[in-house]
Amino acid sequence: MRQFDPAVRELMDVEQPVSAELEKDLANLVTLNRLFGSHALVLGFLRQRLAPGRRWRILDLATGSGDIPRTIASWATRAGFEVIIDAIDQQASTLEIARRLSTGFPNIAFHQGDIREFGAGSTWDIVLCSLALHHFSEDDAARVLRHAAALASHSVLVADLRRCATGTFGVDLLTAVWMREPMTRTDSRISVRRAFSFAEFAALARHAGWRDFQHARRFCFRQALWMEK
């Protein structure tokens, strides 16, 4: 059963100044995204959809330290695609770190905002959201999905953790023997327990009004939903 208590916040969600602990936690998340498939998932999705000869506008919701936008921008330059990326996060301190890490990427713009409502009335070609839905209640997670679909004119991809007993054990072990920093250990263990199961994730998409969407398990206890517009 999903263990979600709105009164219990992940440490990275608490308003706080930039600190060595926050920077280390975000760096750990970048490492996990690279090793456990988040970067590969996004790039594989874009390879199948981007075409040369036009400028692609991409929106990244809950961007964290901006590693996914930077990964996209670097790949697009090598592949010959023109991309403009807007990256959104709610935490000012996280965005400060993201901007500092992204000074060499003029095609990435960072914005502070609530991903449940940011950009209402606007559209981007492709909307991405990675590892964010488990931070929300079921109703708010469905609201994020509904809003992400409304913002996308071409495609939308939403990925997150997949709750299962093996994944919970794996995260507990990982944070016991490797990433043992208090913020990473605490948030990782909360995250995997408040993640949606595979069936719950699909039900969430249907509740959000998604139709003709695709849903798949991904490497290392992750899952993805995507839909063409």
Side-chain angles (χ1 to χ4, degrees), residues 17-30:
V18 172
S19 66
E21 183 179 24
L22 179 61
E23 291 184 287
K24 180 59 177 176
D25 183 58
L26 292 171
N28 284 341
L29 291 177
V30 173

Side-chain angles (χ1 to χ4, degrees), residues 5-205:
D5 181 351
V8 178
R9 302 175 67 188
E10 294 187 34
L11 297 179
M12 69 179 302
D13 290 337
V14 177
E15 292 186 12
Q16 58 194 290
V18 172
S19 66
E21 183 179 24
L22 179 61
E23 291 184 287
K24 180 59 177 176
D25 183 58
L26 292 171
N28 284 341
L29 291 177
V30 173
T31 299
L32 293 172
N33 282 341
R34 185 179 67 251
L35 294 179
F36 295 151
S38 289
H39 293 174
L41 171 63
V42 169
L43 292 185
F45 184 79
L46 295 178
R47 283 190 186 99
Q48 296 177 7
R49 288 161 179 82
L50 267 59
R54 57 163 291 187
R55 174 181 295 177
W56 292 85
R57 297 181 65 242
I58 299 172
L59 177 66
D60 186 45
L61 301 173
T63 196
S65 65
D67 59 306
I68 286 179
R70 289 191 298 274
T71 298
I72 295 170
S74 296
W75 164 77
T77 297
R78 295 192 302 271
F81 299 124
E82 185 178 3
V83 298
I84 299 294
I85 306 169
D86 289 300
I88 317 306
D89 205 273
Q90 190 160 2
Q91 292 295 338
S93 54
T94 297
L95 286 172
E96 182 178 337
I97 294 168
R99 290 188 179 103
R100 186 195 316 149
L101 293 172
S102 307
T103 54
F105 296 88
N107 55 340
I108 302 175
F110 291 95
H111 312 271
Q112 186 174 7
D114 185 335
I115 65 171
R116 293 168 293 187
E117 58 188 34
F118 178 88
S122 301
T123 59
W124 284 258
D125 297 308
I126 295 176
V127 175
L128 308 170
C129 182
S130 300
L131 297 175
L133 289 195
H134 66 270
H135 291 258
F136 296 97
S137 68
E138 284 83 354
D139 286 344
D140 277 341
R143 183 179 169 189
V144 172
L145 285 175
R146 191 177 301 115
H147 188 53
L151 295 174
S153 63
H154 187 282
S155 310
V156 56
L157 170 68
V158 177
D160 207 342
L161 302 171
R162 174 170 52 87
R163 193 186 75 251
C164 60
T166 308
T168 301
F169 173 77
V171 167
D172 289 352
L173 180 63
L174 176 74
T175 55
V177 302
W178 181 26
M179 292 185 172
R180 304 193 303 179
E181 291 81 8
M183 185 179 290
T184 300
R185 183 176 62 245
T186 298
D187 285 358
S188 296
R189 294 181 177 189
I190 291 174
S191 293
V192 74
R193 288 164 171 82
R194 67 185 356 172
F196 295 95
S197 71
F198 190 74
E200 290 166 349
F201 212 46
L204 202 62

